[in-house]
Amino acid sequence: MTRPEEFIEGQFIVKVIASQIRKGNVVEVDDQLYAVLKAESFFPGKGTPTTQIDMRRLSDGVKTSQRYKTTEQVERAFIETKDHNYLYQDGESYAFMNMENYEQVTVPADVIGDQAVYLQENMTTQISLYNGVPVGIELPTRVTLEVTETEPVTKGQTASSSYKPAVLSNGLRVNVPPHIGVGTRIVVLTEDNSYVERAKD
């Protein structure tokens, strides 16, 4: 009898073009499964557009990079995504709780990557699991953080003049408008660390 996961692997591999691959997807290359750590498409003025995919082999954690034409077909494995609450950091990994069955899941640091700086206790995240193994994580698109260091507000500066550097309560450095001072809570996009607006709370 086949084990259910083998059946799942065989049934849920779909072909997509390389430019549709995103961080957290699982792809099959040469009969091996890889978790995508980063996917970036390049569109040069001349020449062929390409997509570079940085990935980690699920079987042994070995990292590799592959470059494809953006329209080339890549085999993507079906994975399930579930809501998990962030609990705490434990060395090189992070503990989350499945909100349906209260089981704990440990996610390695390289699956979370640079986004780890945004993790806050009880934050709801979406974790992608492949046969129970965490392969990707999606944080909320926006988080609210407090400015802990920045240049003083200068009177007479308009909001449209150049941004200034600031340090946030999680240690992250971002650029904020001149009217934002220390102690102000601001909304930041987790995707690119950019300032959105002053928090309304």
Side-chain angles (χ1 to χ4, degrees), residues 4-195:
E5 60 261 40
E6 289 175 348
F7 175 72
I8 288 171
E9 282 180 23
Q11 288 294 310
F12 289 87
I13 296 279
V14 291
K15 284 186 184 293
V16 297
I17 59 170
S19 60
Q20 291 181 332
I21 295 294
R22 298 283 177 268
K23 176 182 164 73
N25 289 165
V26 172
V27 294
E28 185 172 300
V29 182
D30 300 330
D31 295 328
Q32 292 275 351
L33 291 168
Y34 293 84
V36 175
L37 302 171
K38 187 180 175 187
E40 207 172 351
S41 292
F42 301 92
F43 300 94
K46 290 178 179 170
T48 310
T50 58
T51 299
Q52 168 129 346
I53 301 176
D54 297 343
M55 47 199 173
R56 182 168 52 81
R57 197 156 53 209
L58 294 188
S59 58
D60 54 14
V62 169
K63 292 182 187 174
T64 182
S65 285
Q66 292 264 27
R67 194 172 276 249
Y68 299 91
K69 292 177 185 162
T70 50
T71 53
E72 209 174 319
Q73 299 242 315
V74 181
E75 295 194 325
R76 185 180 144 196
F78 174 81
I79 47 178
E80 56 179 346
T81 303
K82 294 198 161 144
D83 282 353
H84 286 74
N85 267 18
Y86 173 61
L87 299 175
Y88 57 85
Q89 183 178 358
D90 182 13
E92 285 294 295
S93 56
Y94 296 81
F96 294 80
M97 184 189 285
N98 182 321
M99 297 317 295
E100 288 174 20
N101 57 19
Y102 302 109
E103 282 182 7
Q104 280 195 32
V105 172
T106 302
V107 182
D110 65 349
V111 169
I112 300 174
D114 298 342
Q115 299 181 97
V117 70
Y118 287 114
L119 288 172
Q120 299 169 5
E121 202 173 321
N122 294 325
M123 175 186 273
T124 300
T125 64
Q126 287 199 316
I127 293 180
S128 302
L129 299 156
Y130 189 86
N131 292 344
V133 178
V135 292
I137 184 168
E138 201 171 306
L139 269 55
T141 50
R142 299 172 170 214
V143 296
T144 301
L145 294 158
E146 189 176 315
V147 175
T148 56
E149 284 176 48
T150 191
E151 295 163 17
V153 175
T154 314
K155 281 197 171 74
Q157 272 190 312
T158 60
S160 61
S161 59
S162 60
Y163 276 37
K164 61 183 181 180
V167 179
L168 305 184
S169 50
N170 63 350
L172 194 71
R173 291 176 181 277
V174 298
N175 289 319
V176 298
H179 64 277
I180 298 292
V182 170
T184 308
R185 285 165 63 74
I186 63 168
V187 178
V188 178
L189 281 184
T190 55
E191 189 181 6
D192 60 7
N193 309 336
S194 62
Y195 169 88

